């Protein structure tokens, strides 16, 4: 879940650990892959953060390029991170989200 070289913030790591150990996954909306046409119809400005070492995508570069090609999407590559980028790069993520929302 974390990039090999990263030691995540201890507090966040403990929260993830406790959540996985004692929590119950209750997805009200199942994740899905959006079609290109659906993404092109986005009306709200959308920030997409993509981890440099993401394991969900077969190609991080392709995911970044595809997201950046959508007019309403701002896509940002987060360095030195994997699937759990808010825990690995919390300062970068918090800064980007805060600036984006202001």
């Amino acid at each position: 879940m974390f990039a090999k070289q990263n030691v995540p913030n201890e507090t966040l790591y403990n929260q993830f650990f406790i959540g996985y150990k004692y929590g119950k996954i209750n997805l009200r909306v199942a994740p899905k892959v959006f079609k290109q046409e659906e993404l092109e119809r986005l009306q709200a400005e959308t920030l997409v953060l993509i981890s440099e070492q993401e394991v969900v995508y077969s190609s991080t570069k392709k995911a970044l390029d595809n997201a950046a090609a959508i007019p309403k999407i701002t896509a940002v590559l987060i360095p030195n991170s994997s699937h759990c980028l808010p825990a690995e790069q919390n300062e970068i993520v918090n800064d980007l989200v805060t600036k984006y929302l202001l």
Side-chain angles (χ1 to χ4, degrees):
M1 184 158 82
F2 299 103
K4 291 179 183 176
Q5 76 277 3
N6 288 345
V7 177
N9 173 288
E10 186 176 351
T11 301
L12 291 172
Y13 178 82
N14 288 334
Q15 289 173 341
F16 280 110
F17 177 76
I18 290 168
Y20 279 108
K21 186 173 181 179
Y22 300 106
K24 179 181 174 187
I25 295 175
N26 186 10
L27 292 175
R28 292 196 171 120
V29 178
K32 72 174 237 173
V33 176
F34 290 94
K35 296 178 182 168
Q36 183 77 15
E37 302 81 39
E38 293 174 300
L39 294 172
E40 289 172 356
R41 288 194 306 265
L42 279 173
Q43 294 186 15
E45 296 292 330
T46 304
L47 176 64
V48 174
L49 305 179
I50 297 176
S51 301
E52 182 179 46
Q53 297 171 23
E54 177 59 73
V55 294
V56 173
Y57 313 118
S58 59
S59 168
T60 300
K61 181 181 179 337
K62 186 175 178 182
L64 186 65
D65 291 345
N66 287 345
I70 305 299
K72 294 286 186 173
I73 290 180
T74 298
V76 180
L77 183 67
I78 307 299
N80 302 316
S81 62
S82 186
H83 190 67
C84 200
L85 65 103
E88 295 175 291
Q89 297 296 345
N90 60 307
E91 289 181 14
I92 293 172
V93 170
N94 289 344
D95 186 54
L96 285 166
V97 171
T98 300
K99 287 178 180 174
Y100 195 79
L101 293 174
L102 293 178

